[in-house]
Amino acid sequence: MLGSKTIIVTGAASGIGAETAALVASLGANVISVDINRPALVVGDFIQADLSDRRSIDRLVAALPSRVDGLANIAGLPPTFPAEAVLRVNLVGLKYLTLQLLSKFSDGASIVNLASLAGLGWREATQSIEASTTLDFDDVPEFCKVHNIEGPRSYFFSKEALIVWTMQNRWTWRDRGIRINAVSPGPVDTPILKDFLETLGARAEEDMATMDRPATPKDIAPVVAFLLSDGARWIRGSNIHADGGMYSHVQCQTHGL
Ligand code: NAI
């Protein structure tokens, strides 16, 4: 399904990223695994990079091959980390890496952003999201202050803004056939699930109580792999809910349906 494609997977040392790297390699892709930590089991080539740091991303981009057919932006920090770090990794660094790679993307390349059910409230945050359009690494502390982004809000905001950025770029690179989409899981059983339960408290517990089980990385990786494939060519600027029905559940509850 992905034969002869060169695909970069960030966050490849753990959880959803590790599973995605293994799956896309098994589907024939030439994988380049990227993470701040070295994976216990390296899939394809590994390049160490800190995606919260512009210079580290610049070094990564320079080390990548001149032709890239897919980018799975999966690296992310949970809300137990300081708000500024969460915004840098989950939003600013992700966008910067993606934009820096444009000259290396082949025609028809696919970008997949790991968002979250936590981003579902983006409609209530459009003003701050709009203000974050040009947000740079150095401006993050001031931005957090001005927009009251502290504690777990950093995580919600990073995913809300990522979903909006994905939609906004539905046609930006259409002349080259480059697509961008997002995948939004609900709770997934990875090392950061406990961080979510810790920080998001009642809200996360309620979510978990309505679910039959949390997802595993194996429930999410195939969705990412499909979006990376040519079979998904008509999916553009979409946010695919891979959450066992949680998004629909919340919508029906909210609208009394
Ligand atoms: P994980 O903690 O297992 O994996 C995240 C990976 O990102 C780790 O390997 C980590 O080293 C890497 N990373 C963190 N900071 C980095 C940096 N500065 N530079 C490079 N790599 C860095 O977490 P998981 O659950 O696999 O999360 C993957 C993505 O899925 C994240 O974006 C997360 O927000 C999202 N997600 C996770 C959910 C969950 O319940 N686990 C639910 C919804 C979305």
Side-chain angles (χ1 to χ4, degrees), residues 9-19 21 33-37 39 51 72-76:
V9 179
T10 75
S14 177
I16 300 167
E19 185 62 36
S33 297
V34 173
D35 205 289
I36 196 165
N37 298 315
L51 299 174
N73 282 316
I74 301 182

Side-chain angles (χ1 to χ4, degrees), residues 41-61:
L41 205 71
V42 171
V43 176
D45 293 326
F46 171 65
I47 304 178
Q48 194 269 342
D50 177 356
L51 299 174
S52 69
D53 182 275
R54 179 204 307 271
R55 276 167 304 178
S56 183
I57 297 174
D58 288 340
R59 282 195 295 274
L60 165 66
V61 170

Side-chain angles (χ1 to χ4, degrees), residues 162-218:
L162 182 55
I163 290 168
V164 170
W165 188 67
T166 303
M167 294 192 294
Q168 286 175 318
N169 285 297
R170 63 205 175 275
W171 291 334
T172 309
W173 310 290
R174 183 165 56 172
D175 57 333
R176 295 174 55 199
I178 298 173
R179 302 176 293 110
I180 185 165
N181 291 291
V183 176
S184 283
V188 186
D189 193 1
T190 71
I192 61 175
L193 183 57
K194 63 171 179 12
D195 299 83
F196 291 122
L197 297 177
E198 237 169 66
T199 27
L200 308 182
R203 156 84 195 271
E205 304 236 330
E206 270 167 40
D207 283 359
M208 288 293 286
T210 56
M211 299 190 76
D212 40 353
R213 63 169 176 85
T216 72
K218 282 194 192 307

Side-chain angles (χ1 to χ4, degrees), residues 27-198:
L27 294 171
N30 165 35
V31 174
I32 301 175
S33 297
V34 173
D35 205 289
I36 196 165
N37 298 315
R38 190 176 179 84
L41 205 71
V42 171
V43 176
D45 293 326
F46 171 65
I47 304 178
Q48 194 269 342
D50 177 356
L51 299 174
S52 69
D53 182 275
R54 179 204 307 271
R55 276 167 304 178
S56 183
I57 297 174
D58 288 340
R59 282 195 295 274
L60 165 66
V61 170
L64 288 169
S66 55
R67 183 198 157 103
V68 171
D69 305 299
L71 169 65
N73 282 316
I74 301 182
L77 286 180
T80 40
F81 281 77
E84 294 167 12
V86 173
L87 249 61
R88 283 201 180 97
V89 176
N90 296 10
L91 187 64
V92 181
L94 182 157
K95 286 166 64 172
Y96 184 71
L97 170 63
T98 306
L99 297 176
Q100 291 308 109
L101 275 175
L102 278 173
S103 62
K104 296 197 171 193
F105 282 139
S106 58
D107 289 356
S110 170
I111 303 154
V112 182
N113 299 321
L114 235 300
S116 171
L117 183 63
L120 98 173
W122 62 263
R123 289 172 187 80
E124 283 80 58
T126 47
Q127 243 178 330
S128 302
I129 292 172
E130 197 53 28
S132 76
T133 306
T134 54
L135 181 61
D136 207 350
F137 294 91
D138 299 337
D139 308 333
V140 169
E142 181 63 17
F143 181 85
C144 288
K145 229 182 273 165
V146 172
H147 294 272
N148 291 323
I149 294 174
E150 51 184 39
R153 177 73 196 128
S154 62
Y155 187 78
F156 285 94
F157 179 78
S158 71
K159 298 301 185 181
E160 290 162 359
L162 182 55
I163 290 168
V164 170
W165 188 67
T166 303
M167 294 192 294
Q168 286 175 318
N169 285 297
R170 63 205 175 275
W171 291 334
T172 309
W173 310 290
R174 183 165 56 172
D175 57 333
R176 295 174 55 199
I178 298 173
R179 302 176 293 110
I180 185 165
N181 291 291
V183 176
S184 283
V188 186
D189 193 1
T190 71
I192 61 175
L193 183 57
K194 63 171 179 12
D195 299 83
F196 291 122
L197 297 177
E198 237 169 66

